Amino acid sequence: MEKTIAVIRGDGIGPEIVGEAIGVLDAVAARFGHCFTYREAPMGGCAIDAFGVPLPDSSLQTCLESDSVLLGAVGGPKWDAQPSHNRPEKGLLKLRGAMELYSNVRPARMFEDLASACPLRPDIAARGIDFVVVRELIGGVYFGEHRTDEAEGEQKATDIMAYSEHEVRRVAHVAFQMARKRRHRVTSVDKANVLDTSRLWRRVVTEVAREYPDVELLHMYVDNASMQLIRDPSQFDVIVTENLFGDILSDEASQITGSIGMIPSSSMGQGTRGLYEPIHGSAPDIAGQDKANPIGTILAAAMMLRYSFDMAAEADAVEAAVDGALKAGYRCGDILQPDCIPVGCREMGARIRERI
Ligand code: NAD
């Protein structure tokens, strides 16, 4: 099969981790007889330096014309002083909007061999952690109006949070369909005791649930959900929530599984094209030192194979190769344990590649 992949290396550790993911994709192409063509799409701080904007039109066009997009991470202290409309993250928000990627899926699974990296009490971790967070991605407060006004000698800032029914409905379907392939349980997270957007969210999710009688639906307030994730994460199968709550809860969810460097994510819209990236940022503190863990990005490439290219065997091969490298004891600094073999970004990539 022939596929074109837009590649956004980004900033900080982005180029290092994306390089390893591409190496793994090349190994997959060689073993399974595919042809992957990579098209560079500069975005983030590096694009501000080169083109003056975080997402040049040419990069956006490349992404829209490709079968899928692989992203490292963008941002870093060098661009913190940029005006808010021209920050690296704006490139990512614009790309998500232009590709109409309304759902973000983050699996939170504890790897057997990394159980000791789980920060929860061993008896809680022993119950297992295996759920996904489905986050609405292009609505809510991140896409509402943002304003800072000056009145009577002080500043007042306003951010508007809005949701319409169709925005809730389409992401609810993603969650219920995912639950059907898993343990048939959806927990919808909101703040319906306070927010109108949440009351609408709850009503629409409840309506959608009627189309999935085989899936159990529970509602939970976001403050309780943040607590339950730590108290007993084994109760969750699929969590569905709005943009801001999902941003926060999915970081919490990934941290309880071990390292932020291990977790991939996919962002999808209506068709098969998606944006695949690790959940972490550009980690400027370790950039350029061969210290980054590339596994989150490599597993993001596996998600691309599975969900956008319908290549399940290929995705299985990548995931098995990651498991194999971990079982053999190879660890990057963020997941280092006693008696393991410390490796850098490049060697971790090589150890996974050789197992494809
Ligand atoms: P971060 O995720 O970059 O780093 C947090 C901590 O985790 C750091 O100590 C870092 O070294 C470590 N870490 C992250 N990824 C790692 C990996 N693969 N291997 C080993 N250690 C890893 O978060 P931050 O420091 O808050 O943000 C840094 C920059 O990244 C900021 O400019 C932020 O805006 C940006 N950011 C970008 C994205 C994205 O591109 N999607 C997401 C989040 C943050």
Side-chain angles (χ1 to χ4, degrees), residues 13 17 43 71-77 79-80 87-89 92 96 106 251 259-262 277-286 291-297 332-335:
I13 60 171
I17 53 179
M43 186 180 91
L71 164 67
V74 296
W79 303 281
D80 279 351
R87 292 176 63 91
E89 303 78 26
L92 188 51
R96 285 174 181 163
R106 283 190 188 185
D251 264 25
S259 167
I260 196 169
M262 299 287 300
E277 58 183 313
I279 61 154
H280 55 73
S282 60
D285 52 331
I286 55 167
K291 285 183 180 167
N293 184 351
I295 292 180
T297 319
C332 290
D334 60 321
I335 50 172

Side-chain angles (χ1 to χ4, degrees), residues 29 49 146 194 206 215 264 266 281 299 320-321 326 333:
D49 290 348
H146 307 287
V194 180
T206 305
V215 178
S266 72
L299 291 175
L326 292 173

